[in-house]
Amino acid sequence: MEPAERSRVPRIDPYGFERPEDFDAAAYEEFLSGYLVTLTRRAVKWSRLLQGGGVPRGRAVKRYVRKGVPLEHRARVWMALSGAQAQMDQNPGYYHRLLQGERNPRLEDAIRTDLNRTFPDNVKFRTTTEPCLQKTLHNVLLAYGHHNQAVGYCQGMNFIAGYLILITNNEEESFWLLDALVGRILPDYYTPAMLGLKTDQEVLGELVRAKLPAVGALMEQLGVLWTLVVSRWFICLFVDVLPVETVLRIWDCLFNEGSKIIFRVALTLIKQHQEFILEATSIPDICDKFKQITKGSFVMECHTFMQKIFSEPGSLSMATVAKLRESCRARLLAQG
């Protein structure tokens, strides 16, 4: 394995993250040489699509988004597709008013506690860096806590807001995108009871039982709760789980197609590594295997990976997800 220092791959990625010690620079260079060609081709097509100023809707855009939004257009496209731009336009000055509102020491303490734990491997979030993005992150989370008091602040939101800040370079846009995710795309994930999150983990369990019965049977046989192996996938939307570029490609689709994308990604990871998972003989073993399947070339090669999430799991409509959510939610509420 070639160390990152000796290769042409910089030690720090374009988003400010340090490459890990075991980073496979040779494999990454090989992937990148082909992916850059794809990116260049997509950038030309996107520039043409966005010539009119706005972001159009429709099947063509859905296809474009699935093939990846170029970094230079990402913030604008996410803002338009998620409804965040419309919300921001309809509420001028609202974000700044939230920051100037009445102080909430409990909320501020909870946020402050997590600031140093947010991306210690990213140079842009270090207090030694000027400007340090911790201040921006603090503002976005504080404003959101005032805006949505039912949620306030919940661990995991710091990672999501952090990624939004890295992509938009804009506090107010990050706030409205966070609102789109927490308030609309992932309802009840971050409320104190986390009912939406618990429900969706159960929904994944149902989908695995239906589409990958051998894995479903093993989980049952070993008595493994889904929350034990996938809660971080859901809470952090794959941040700090999958490679940065892959997470951003997933989020492109998440903002456009909604939360069913999370199930597509989870099912693809499990299906691709089904035989490896089935070797597990204990709960610690299966937990370790679920950590392993989020590493390696399969997830690094984001373009192929994204093609797989739309082919491997088979059909998965929002109606199917809604129906499963209804039954899983009722079961959870009955359990108290």
Side-chain angles (χ1 to χ4, degrees), residues 95-109:
Y95 173 72
H96 297 288
R97 286 197 299 279
L98 286 170
L99 287 178
Q100 288 150 15
E102 201 178 320
R103 293 194 58 185
N104 179 338
R106 270 186 69 186
L107 175 66
E108 288 178 36
D109 285 348

Side-chain angles (χ1 to χ4, degrees), residues 160 181 186 189-190 231-239 241 247 250-251 254 262:
I160 292 168
L181 284 170
L186 310 167
Y189 265 41
Y190 304 96
S231 63
R232 197 167 173 77
W233 297 6
F234 284 87
I235 292 172
C236 298
L237 300 178
F238 301 102
V239 170
V241 172
V247 175
I250 292 166
W251 285 22
L254 184 65
I262 302 170

Side-chain angles (χ1 to χ4, degrees), residues 83-233:
Q85 187 66 54
Q87 287 293 316
M88 189 165 105
D89 293 345
Q90 286 159 25
N91 296 281
Y94 177 67
Y95 173 72
H96 297 288
R97 286 197 299 279
L98 286 170
L99 287 178
Q100 288 150 15
E102 201 178 320
R103 293 194 58 185
N104 179 338
R106 270 186 69 186
L107 175 66
E108 288 178 36
D109 285 348
I111 292 168
R112 203 175 295 114
T113 303
D114 272 359
L115 285 181
N116 282 325
R117 299 178 192 157
T118 310
F119 305 136
D121 58 339
N122 190 304
V123 294
K124 296 181 183 185
F125 283 88
R126 290 196 185 138
T127 46
T128 49
T129 308
E130 191 53 54
C132 168
L133 289 182
Q134 278 196 21
K135 175 68 180 151
T136 310
L137 179 62
H138 173 270
N139 287 352
V140 171
L141 293 171
L142 185 64
Y144 194 76
H146 286 309
H147 164 70
N148 186 344
Q149 293 181 13
V151 168
Y153 170 71
C154 171
Q155 279 186 333
M157 285 167 60
N158 52 325
F159 292 107
I160 292 168
Y163 259 46
L164 295 173
I165 290 162
L166 287 171
I167 295 305
T168 62
N169 288 313
N170 182 300
E171 247 181 68
E172 193 174 2
E173 287 182 1
S174 298
F175 166 79
W176 287 111
L177 284 168
L178 186 64
D179 182 49
L181 284 170
V182 176
R184 295 194 296 283
I185 296 171
L186 310 167
D188 274 355
Y189 265 41
Y190 304 96
T191 48
M194 288 184 156
L195 186 59
L197 175 75
K198 291 172 185 169
T199 299
D200 278 2
Q201 289 172 168
E202 292 303 311
V203 168
L204 177 63
E206 293 293 335
L207 289 168
V208 169
R209 271 191 283 278
K211 292 173 181 283
L212 303 163
V215 176
L218 179 69
M219 294 287 283
E220 230 157 275
Q221 184 195 322
L222 293 176
V224 185
L225 298 173
W226 280 100
T227 185
L228 205 57
V229 288
V230 298
S231 63
R232 197 167 173 77
W233 297 6

Side-chain angles (χ1 to χ4, degrees), residues 245-261:
E245 199 58 53
T246 308
V247 175
L248 296 173
R249 288 288 301 271
I250 292 166
W251 285 22
D252 288 344
C253 298
L254 184 65
F255 280 120
N256 190 42
E257 298 182 52
S259 54
K260 68 177 179 182
I261 296 300

Side-chain angles (χ1 to χ4, degrees), residues 259-275:
S259 54
K260 68 177 179 182
I261 296 300
I262 302 170
F263 299 111
R264 284 197 165 280
V265 174
L267 286 167
T268 303
L269 284 168
I270 297 165
K271 185 175 180 183
Q272 178 70 20
H273 301 95
Q274 183 170 205
E275 285 174 21

